[in-house]
Amino acid sequence: MVIKRKNILLEPAGRSSSTSALPTNLSKPSVFALIIGINSYKSKEFSDLYGAVPDARLFEDYLKTDLKVPSNQVCVLLDQAASRKAIIEAFIALKNDDRIKKGDPILIFFAGHGGELQLPEDWASRGLGTIIQMLVPQDYCSKSLESKPVPGIPDRTIAALLQGIAEEKGDNITLVFDCCHSASGTRGNVGPERVRSVVVNSAIHTEDLDQEILDSMAFRIPNNAPRYLYYGLRSHILISACGSDETARERYGRGKFTTAFIKLLRTIPLDKLRYSDILTYIDVIPGQNPQCEGINQHRYLFDGKVAPPSPASFICRYDEMLGIIVIDAGAAHGVSKGTEFGIYHQRDLTSRLPLGTLTADKVTSYSSVMTISKLSQNSFLNALRTHPSPELVAVQTKAGQREYIYVYITPSNYLSPFEDPAYQFLVSLLQDDKRDLHNIAIANDVDRAHLELTIENHEAIFHLRDKMATQYGFTHRFRSVAASVDEVARFLTAASKHYWDLCRASHVNEVASHVQLSFYRLQESQCSFFGAEQPEMFPVGGDLCRNGVIDFSVDEDRVYGIKLTNNSPHDLYPSLFYFDGTDFNGRVTYYKPHSSGQYVLDVPLKKDGGTLTIGYGSGGVPPFAYSLQDGRDIAVGFLKLFVFTKPVDPSTSPASYLSTANLRETATDTWGATVIPIVQRRPKRERLHRNPQLVGQMLPPSLPNVNTHARAQALTRASSMPSQFGAISWSGGEPRQYRQTGQFNAT
């Protein structure tokens, strides 16, 4: 399921973040909206609200006045009109509205009470200890002598409704929920400030709730559509008023969050505001940490257009007490000693001339002490004092110290390697300071090498020699490139970045050792909650991750999921990536934290036994599928898991993806990483069919027993590009969408 949050787990999802199928010339989005506001509730079990209806009216006015949305494109349900039946029917109406074309923006706003219940024990796929969250309709009633009780609208019902909309109308859906689900502040709801949360009755929220409704809607996935195209956080963005353990509040008849959000929308033009920017620029709301979740946060609001990529940037500040310059990026972000940064005004990152250049001198987990490399010290310090953080940001311009990558040159007929043109070519290239290949070295022994280079007929041919992959019997020849300085340098630059991110780790990696990664084959369950049309994924069989290696026979009809268990005493923010063993540009994000701006992000992986499922349950991403290229019997890729004690995007996305709420490092701040090889084999029956001479033979003796091999001591690097496919799929160890565009893919 998805919109995984305690502010409502919304399951359905949509297309990938790619907008190749979306119009790129949208000027004013033709928004279709559903606006819901409930002050007066039928039930006397909890207090009414004062600000929900005014909030709904405020949003309606913004749409009609500021965005000029026609009245017939805005459905408004207030108080008695916002019954359970009416809300569900309004969702269905969006799905069936012929005026809404694929990719048109859809906005759903809710202001009112929310609630939550403990998840029934037999709904195990979400993970132990998770909860059901729900919107509370106006006619909610837990007990009635006149009629049947009216339950809330659970997250899974909303998920199914959203999935139906996404299948018909695309993934340009925005949800704004000004409610909460923590019941801690619901009693004594008096005075000018009220909490938008209530305690709901668990007895009336049965496992088969809404089965009849969902069966009648028949949300079928078309036969010609990818199976998981609209799964997880791919169909929508969820913007919610507060964190999962917090309360959304209204004061003097207005919701605190809605007031701040509308002010933001009226301050920054929509064509300048990305979803990932919302939490950076919205006013501070005391006691509330709004959340923004969804795959497509790089888009502009209510639009399918993607913002141009911004350079990775980090806040730069001058500590007058200590007399040092510090940037809020450290080893956890991939910074190492000697890394160079240019300093820019945050609003002028495209400027060609930086204010100055800094070099990392002392690197800690989440920050680095810098030295001034270029520009006078006085003028630079004056700039820092004149422009308080976060106005000045650092953008990396040159990599720092890295582990060596060794290249072995195939022996030739020359008496001395120094006479070999291939050797002379590579030496000349590596001595070029402009290429930033200082961590590439020539190996004298092929057993020590990561790569082997052969130059034939003006082409450079690279073979994989890295034992991290070859120990499992895997061999690979990369696609040849022209034996020119530019082409070979481009390949080696990609290899250098690949291995740096693959191998970098914390000097104190203890926290990662307390996180267990389990890898399961998944099966669809015809869950009675969803009816026949909404299968839910759950693990079958045992954990496929054994002795630090995942090794399985590939079946293209099977899908897989991952479960993380945190046995450490720290709340953790995990990021998980897949590294392709055949393509140095083929890294794909499995999971990473959402943007949080100036606010505190909800903890995805809680301490002391907390779990997070990825690919099934409430993790918010689709399951993973694997296949092998024709002619290949084995492929090796790597999972790299980062864990942090504060939100970090280790793929060094723009600063808006990082939390600026708590930048100062503390004694408990730490991070760690681990890598797990994924060995994908062609089933033996298929190998025998292709090679009858193998009948009765064992696997080749050169193929080691993976269960007896030492674990690979490397880590993998992340990509900010989500998959274009609903079920993220690898072919021969590489993501399929990269096979068409990657520059160094396998032949």
Side-chain angles (χ1 to χ4, degrees):
M1 122 167 261
V2 319
I3 279 193
K4 170 226 150 231
R5 351 172 15 342
K6 281 189 167 179
N7 264 31
I8 249 197
L9 283 117
L10 294 175
E11 270 188 20
R15 280 191 311 236
S16 77
S17 62
S18 172
T19 57
S20 57
L22 293 174
T24 58
N25 59 346
L26 298 177
S27 54
K28 287 188 177 181
S30 179
V31 179
F32 290 82
L34 169 60
I35 308 295
I36 304 166
I38 308 171
N39 274 349
S40 178
Y41 280 84
K42 178 180 178 180
S43 174
K44 303 306 179 185
E45 302 172 45
F46 43 79
S47 304
D48 287 340
L49 299 171
Y50 294 140
V53 169
D55 285 352
R57 288 296 190 194
L58 181 63
F59 229 106
E60 179 188 13
D61 178 70
Y62 168 74
L63 292 174
K64 294 179 178 179
T65 303
D66 295 61
L67 298 188
K68 310 299 181 185
V69 177
S71 296
N72 64 356
Q73 293 181 198
V74 181
C75 173
V76 181
L77 302 177
L78 303 177
D79 283 339
Q80 284 79 6
S83 66
R84 190 179 199 277
K85 179 180 179 183
I87 292 174
I88 291 176
E89 288 179 346
F91 272 80
I92 299 172
L94 290 172
K95 171 182 177 287
N96 296 330
D97 193 333
D98 293 335
R99 298 173 301 166
I100 306 177
K101 307 304 179 187
K102 200 94 168 184
D104 280 349
I106 296 172
L107 169 68
I108 300 173
F109 174 83
F110 178 88
H113 280 309
E116 67 179 19
L117 293 173
Q118 189 67 33
L119 188 72
E121 292 182 2
D122 52 349
W123 293 358
S125 68
R126 290 199 196 178
L128 182 63
T130 57
I131 59 176
I132 300 171
Q133 298 169 332
M134 63 187 66
L135 303 180
V136 180
Q138 190 277 336
D139 56 344
Y140 170 89
C141 184
S142 65
K143 47 190 174 182
S144 174
L145 299 177
E146 302 175 0
S147 59
K148 293 182 178 181
V150 178
I153 306 176
D155 50 18
R156 299 210 299 185
T157 299
I158 296 172
L161 291 165
L162 279 178
Q163 183 164 330
I165 297 172
E167 287 167 7
E168 294 293 329
K169 308 303 180 184
D171 61 357
N172 195 3
I173 303 172
T174 304
L175 289 88
V176 181
F177 287 165
D178 196 344
C179 62
C180 60
H181 304 277
S182 172
S184 59
T186 58
R187 293 179 175 83
N189 218 0
V190 296
E193 190 166 290
R194 298 203 164 204
V195 174
R196 295 181 174 180
S197 177
V198 298
V199 178
V200 293
N201 187 341
S202 60
I204 66 172
H205 297 88
T206 58
E207 183 182 352
D208 60 353
L209 178 63
D210 290 334
Q211 177 182 350
E212 207 173 289
I213 296 174
L214 296 170
D215 284 348
S216 67
M217 288 189 289
F219 287 153
R220 299 179 182 274
I221 297 177
N223 291 332
N224 60 348
R227 180 64 183 87
Y228 300 98
L229 186 64
Y230 296 103
Y231 187 100
L233 282 166
R234 297 183 179 276
S235 66
H236 54 269
I237 297 291
L238 172 65
I239 306 164
S240 50
C242 61
S244 59
D245 297 324
E246 299 174 336
T247 53
R249 295 178 177 268
E250 58 178 49
R251 185 171 179 82
Y252 295 115
R254 291 288 186 183
K256 291 183 176 181
F257 168 73
T258 298
T259 300
F261 188 48
I262 292 295
K263 178 183 176 182
L264 173 67
L265 296 182
R266 285 176 165 162
T267 301
I268 301 179
L270 293 186
D271 61 353
K272 304 293 184 183
L273 183 64
R274 300 170 299 178
Y275 288 100
S276 60
D277 296 328
I278 291 173
L279 301 184
T280 299
Y281 297 114
I282 194 172
D283 286 348
V284 173
I285 307 173
Q288 292 181 215
N289 286 283
Q291 306 287 307
C292 182
E293 300 185 37
I295 297 296
N296 298 319
Q297 294 194 32
H298 54 294
R299 292 182 181 177
Y300 295 108
L301 261 66
F302 314 140
D303 202 340
K305 291 188 293 185
V306 177
S310 301
S313 59
F314 305 94
I315 292 175
C316 177
R317 51 191 168 83
Y318 177 66
D319 191 318
E320 292 195 29
M321 182 176 296
L322 298 176
I324 58 175
I325 301 171
V326 179
I327 67 166
D328 289 305
H333 306 81
V335 178
S336 61
K337 185 177 176 64
T339 303
E340 291 187 4
F341 291 84
I343 304 302
Y344 298 84
H345 292 291
Q346 189 177 45
R347 298 184 180 276
D348 191 24
L349 291 178
T350 58
S351 173
R352 293 185 178 181
L353 295 177
L355 298 175
T357 301
L358 300 179
T359 302
D361 181 44
K362 180 182 178 182
V363 180
T364 62
S365 292
Y366 294 96
S367 62
S368 300
V369 178
M370 313 299 290
T371 59
I372 301 175
S373 301
K374 301 171 184 176
L375 198 67
S376 72
Q377 182 170 346
N378 290 336
S379 61
F380 187 75
L381 293 180
N382 287 336
L384 281 173
R385 293 187 179 111
T386 306
H387 300 86
S389 58
E391 288 190 22
L392 293 182
V393 294
V395 177
Q396 182 174 325
T397 56
K398 185 177 180 180
Q401 295 178 0
R402 295 180 174 180
E403 296 295 325
Y404 279 107
I405 306 302
Y406 291 97
V407 179
Y408 178 75
I409 299 175
T410 304
S412 64
N413 294 325
Y414 292 90
L415 295 178
S416 168
F418 301 102
E419 300 175 2
D420 189 341
Y423 181 90
Q424 296 173 357
F425 171 82
L426 187 56
V427 168
S428 175
L429 176 61
L430 299 183
Q431 290 176 342
D432 186 350
D433 291 337
K434 296 180 181 179
R435 299 292 177 178
D436 195 17
L437 296 173
H438 58 275
N439 69 317
I440 306 292
I442 298 176
N444 295 324
D445 185 352
V446 68
D447 289 335
R448 190 184 180 190
H450 297 84
L451 298 166
E452 180 176 347
L453 169 64
T454 303
I455 296 182
E456 294 178 353
N457 300 322
H458 306 290
E459 287 189 336
I461 303 168
F462 286 91
H463 287 83
L464 185 67
R465 295 291 181 249
D466 181 16
K467 283 186 168 53
M468 258 178 53
T470 60
Q471 64 176 316
Y472 302 105
F474 175 63
T475 60
H476 179 67
R477 167 181 164 168
F478 294 90
R479 178 176 296 173
S480 59
V481 299
S484 66
V485 169
D486 289 340
E487 290 299 314
V488 174
R490 186 177 295 112
F491 180 90
L492 291 177
T493 299
S496 174
K497 176 62 175 170
H498 171 92
Y499 278 109
W500 163 244
D501 287 325
L502 187 65
C503 299
R504 70 183 183 93
S506 171
H507 294 298
V508 182
N509 205 31
E510 182 180 0
V511 65
S513 66
H514 292 288
V515 178
Q516 177 184 350
L517 185 149
S518 301
F519 190 89
Y520 297 104
R521 182 166 70 88
L522 302 179
Q523 183 171 308
E524 293 181 352
S525 168
Q526 300 299 330
C527 177
S528 61
F529 183 95
F530 282 104
E533 305 304 333
Q534 289 295 327
E536 192 169 30
M537 309 303 296
F538 69 95
V540 293
D543 183 0
L544 296 177
C545 182
R546 302 183 181 96
N547 299 322
V549 178
I550 299 168
D551 192 329
F552 61 91
S553 295
V554 170
D555 184 333
E556 294 187 15
D557 294 329
R558 291 181 177 178
V559 293
Y560 301 86
I562 294 166
K563 180 179 180 181
L564 302 179
T565 303
N566 179 13
N567 297 312
S568 80
H570 305 282
D571 286 336
L572 296 176
Y573 298 86
S575 290
L576 182 65
F577 305 96
Y578 176 86
F579 272 53
D580 184 358
T582 66
D583 179 6
F584 291 144
N585 292 312
R587 56 198 178 276
V588 174
T589 302
Y590 270 23
Y591 178 89
K592 68 179 180 180
H594 304 291
S595 63
S596 57
Q598 59 187 317
Y599 292 98
V600 176
L601 185 69
D602 272 352
V603 176
L605 192 57
K606 292 186 177 296
K607 62 184 178 181
D608 299 328
T611 62
L612 173 67
T613 56
I614 303 172
Y616 70 104
S618 59
V621 297
F624 315 117
Y626 301 83
S627 63
L628 289 169
Q629 295 176 351
D630 290 342
R632 186 182 291 282
D633 289 335
I634 186 173
V636 176
F638 301 92
L639 287 180
K640 178 163 185 181
L641 173 66
F642 291 93
V643 288
F644 308 96
T645 52
K646 58 173 62 177
V648 167
D649 179 359
S651 59
T652 59
S653 295
S656 58
Y657 280 85
L658 306 175
S659 173
T660 58
N662 184 23
L663 290 171
R664 300 300 188 269
E665 217 166 325
T666 67
T668 59
D669 287 335
T670 184
W671 71 285
T674 189
V675 70
I676 297 178
I678 299 186
V679 184
Q680 306 145 55
R681 304 182 188 277
R682 190 173 299 280
K684 186 175 181 180
R685 64 181 182 277
E686 295 184 19
R687 300 201 307 272
L688 294 178
H689 178 73
R690 291 171 50 227
N691 301 287
Q693 66 272 22
L694 293 179
V695 174
Q697 297 182 19
M698 300 297 291
L699 290 176
S702 60
L703 181 64
N705 182 343
V706 298
N707 290 330
T708 63
H709 265 285
R711 298 183 187 180
Q713 299 298 313
L715 306 165
T716 17
R717 142 169 130 160
S719 165
S720 58
M721 294 181 60
S723 170
Q724 282 189 318
F725 296 83
I728 299 178
S729 180
W730 322 127
S731 178
E734 74 176 343
R736 288 176 181 162
Q737 70 271 29
Y738 284 96
R739 192 171 65 243
Q740 301 171 2
T741 58
Q743 189 160 5
F744 305 115
N745 290 336
T747 55

